[in-house]
Amino acid sequence: LAKTTQPISMDSYEGQEVNITCSHNNIATNDYITWYQQFPSQGPRFIIQGYKTKVTNEVASLFIPADRKSSTLSLPRVSLSDTAVYYCLVGVYSGNTPLVFGKGTRLSVIA
Amino acid sequence: DGGITQSPKYLFRKEGQNVTLSCEQNLNHDAMYWYRQDPGQGLRLIYYSQIVNDFQKGDIAEGYSVSREKKESFPLTVTSAQKNPTAFYLCASSTIRLQGTEAFFGQGTRLTVV
């Protein structure tokens, strides 16, 4: 499974756009890039998933360059409730292989 | 409502006792997983199962046991052989398909050894 590297922590003020970058230099051809969000004392929640270019949903956008060796999760106009840990996962994740979590990025949103 | 339910939310165990954490899902998912999370750390895989009556060890299976007698249920037993069981335990489930599945997590069980 491709190893990922992401910042340990980030701070942001409310209303700003937050971009969290994840490096995955040895991503395989069939790997997807998936982001999860975890609030304290809760299970992680799926945010977004992509394979290439750009994916957008009601919560976030995911930007993936052509070489796919990195990806950026973009959270528009964050609020205090976006304070959480964000995990970048890279893999096929067909259900036959379990999700592998790193330590994630702890985002703190400040008023 | 469809979802994945863990119980209890909080559990206290005396040293030397076995305890069982419950995980039930009504999402008709084939795959189920157990993770352990320590403070400030990511999730570490304990066991996972892709089909009834079959399961595989994860990275930290020692001191734990599981069963998968029904598709909906994947209980985890923390045995007395687990020397440091105090942690947050998370159960998850997912479909099995060719690529890009999404996992759904329960709300977790916080186990404390007293």
Side-chain angles (χ1 to χ4, degrees), chain B residues 57-71:
Chain B
K57 293 182 178 180
D59 300 323
I60 57 166
E62 185 176 352
Y64 301 97
S65 65
V66 294
S67 63
R68 188 87 186 277
E69 297 177 0
K70 298 186 300 182
K71 186 176 183 178

Side-chain angles (χ1 to χ4, degrees), chain A residues 15-70:
Chain A
Q16 289 188 331
E17 178 184 75
V18 171
N19 296 310
I20 306 175
T21 297
C22 179
S23 297
H24 28 82
N25 290 322
N26 59 340
I27 188 170
T29 302
N30 294 332
D31 286 345
Y32 276 69
I33 299 159
T34 310
W35 287 80
Y36 281 79
Q37 174 192 55
Q38 185 182 25
F39 297 113
S41 297
Q42 293 188 25
R45 180 177 73 108
F46 172 92
I47 300 176
I48 198 166
Q49 184 178 80
Y51 183 79
K52 60 181 179 181
T53 63
K54 177 184 175 182
V55 180
T56 298
N57 61 23
E58 65 277 6
V59 176
S61 294
L62 179 59
F63 298 92
I64 305 168
D67 66 5
R68 304 201 327 124
K69 293 184 182 299
S70 67

Side-chain angles (χ1 to χ4, degrees), chain A residues 11-18 77-80 108-111:
Chain A
D11 295 331
S12 176
Y13 288 102
E14 275 191 296
Q16 289 188 331
E17 178 184 75
V18 171
R77 298 180 299 281
V78 294
S79 64
L80 295 176
S108 297
V109 180
I110 307 163

